Amino acid sequence: MKTVAGPLPFIICLSRFIPTKHNFGQKFKTNMQTRTNHEIDYHIYGEEMQYVEVELDPQETAIAEAGAFMMMDEAVQMETIFGDGRGQEKGFFGKLMSAGKRVLTGESLFMTAFTNAGQGKKRVSFASPYPGKIIPLDLLELGGKMICQKDAFLCAAKGVAVGIEFQRKLGTGLFGGEGFIMQKLEGDGMAFVHAGGHVFGRDLQPGEVLKIDTGCIVAFTPSVDYDIQFVGGIKNTLFGGEGLFFATLRGPGRVWIQTLPVSRLASRILAYGTYKRKDEGSLLGGLGNLLDGDGV
């Protein structure tokens, strides 16, 4: 086998936890190590508006966030459940407490379970809620736990616990952009999260620090230390336009970063719809807007 010089080894390393452009639409089998969660195979389709197709063996189940469902085969049965459907919550109040924790992260009180009740493999698909990427996370390979932004979870194999992670530092909770509560995924199955724009991963070495906009953090392994830092400087604070704080992530561990947080996208759309737009490049002004169908 020929060796290739240059950055290729880094790209190969990165592709272990981020699907590359050439992977979309291809089939992936989950790691065959011993799992307690349901084992599922999956396809990811699309470029900027993606969806994930989960392949279920008979009696296998996938759980999904309310509103993520796209389509499914006839033999797949859908059931609305409290919590994440692990069956570890005892009684009604136990299930209610589990579901209540999800509400604190901004998710729905209910989740939906999709079970293959037929013979042979069946498929169910879940779509991303806004332009961006779907990230597959094999929790077995990632140490059994991931910490994510509050609205990142899309779907997972049954048995994956969807809970909350409290920020223990006062400053991080108050000024970290995500508040005191983040989302926690635990288990040894496959989980899928969604983020905006382009998404990429980065490995941090022990002691290595990455300074990042608080809204651009998607997920990180528990070994990463998450904190916030004051931007500093009067000009930076008053006129920089980047906020007063940015996040610091200290290795070792892996982090996933998004280029377009949904809050940033929403604020731009709101600003465009709220303020009277400029008639740039138009000699006719408002009449030109009427002619091209954009209104006045």
Side-chain angles (χ1 to χ4, degrees):
M1 176 180 287
K2 296 182 179 180
T3 59
V4 181
L8 184 58
F10 172 76
I11 298 174
I12 294 175
C13 176
L14 188 63
S15 67
R16 288 186 290 114
F17 54 96
I18 292 292
T20 64
K21 180 177 180 181
H22 302 291
N23 286 337
F24 298 148
Q26 296 181 0
K27 180 178 179 179
F28 295 83
K29 277 193 81 70
T30 57
N31 192 303
M32 296 307 293
Q33 300 179 43
T34 302
R35 298 178 187 268
T36 59
N37 301 162
H38 287 200
E39 296 184 16
I40 58 176
D41 301 327
Y42 67 95
H43 301 236
I44 293 178
Y45 294 97
E47 294 290 341
E48 303 305 329
M49 293 296 293
Q50 295 185 332
Y51 74 95
V52 55
E53 178 185 81
V54 175
E55 189 176 82
L56 302 173
D57 291 328
Q59 301 309 310
E60 279 187 346
T61 301
I63 59 172
E65 185 58 46
F69 169 70
M70 178 179 167
M71 61 183 177
M72 63 184 178
D73 291 341
E74 183 179 9
V76 177
Q77 293 184 352
M78 181 174 63
E79 179 185 6
T80 301
I81 58 175
F82 271 125
D84 50 34
R86 287 176 297 158
Q88 297 180 2
E89 305 88 356
K90 302 299 182 182
F92 174 77
F93 288 103
K95 294 180 180 180
L96 186 62
M97 287 294 293
S98 175
K101 292 178 182 179
R102 290 173 20 78
V103 175
L104 293 177
T105 65
E107 304 287 7
S108 169
L109 186 66
F110 299 93
M111 295 187 70
T112 311
F114 299 84
T115 303
N116 179 4
Q119 301 296 322
K121 295 180 180 293
K122 303 299 178 183
R123 297 173 178 83
V124 57
S125 300
F126 308 100
S128 56
Y130 51 87
K133 303 293 183 183
I134 295 175
I135 310 167
L137 301 174
D138 190 339
L139 297 179
L140 182 62
E141 295 184 349
L142 293 169
K145 180 179 177 180
M146 285 294 302
I147 300 171
C148 310
Q149 66 175 0
K150 289 186 292 186
D151 58 350
F153 175 71
L154 185 68
C155 61
K158 184 177 181 181
V160 172
V162 185
I164 58 176
E165 178 79 6
F166 287 99
Q167 294 298 329
R168 291 165 295 188
K169 298 178 182 178
L170 179 64
T172 305
L174 291 176
F175 308 112
E178 295 295 336
F180 283 101
I181 300 174
M182 298 185 74
Q183 209 163 50
K184 176 176 64 177
L185 304 178
E186 290 183 297
D188 54 30
M190 289 296 304
F192 301 88
V193 297
H194 179 266
H198 178 67
V199 181
F200 62 97
R202 178 164 172 176
D203 281 317
L204 297 181
Q205 301 303 315
E208 181 182 359
V209 176
L210 179 66
K211 298 179 180 180
I212 180 175
D213 181 89
T214 56
C216 291
I217 301 172
V218 179
F220 51 88
T221 54
S223 59
V224 174
D225 180 60
Y226 171 45
D227 205 348
I228 59 101
Q229 181 176 327
F230 182 62
V231 170
I234 296 178
K235 288 191 295 182
N236 291 336
T237 302
L238 297 179
F239 309 112
E242 300 297 338
L244 301 179
F245 301 89
F246 48 68
T248 61
L249 300 172
R250 182 183 298 272
R254 293 180 185 174
V255 299
W256 285 259
I257 301 165
Q258 61 183 345
T259 61
L260 183 61
V262 65
S263 57
R264 186 179 300 174
L265 175 64
S267 64
R268 291 301 179 94
I269 294 175
L270 181 63
Y272 185 85
T274 302
Y275 301 103
K276 185 177 178 64
R277 75 170 191 152
K278 298 178 180 179
D279 303 313
E280 297 177 324
S282 173
L283 297 177
L284 298 179
L287 179 60
N289 291 340
L290 289 176
L291 294 177
D292 64 19
D294 289 335
V296 178

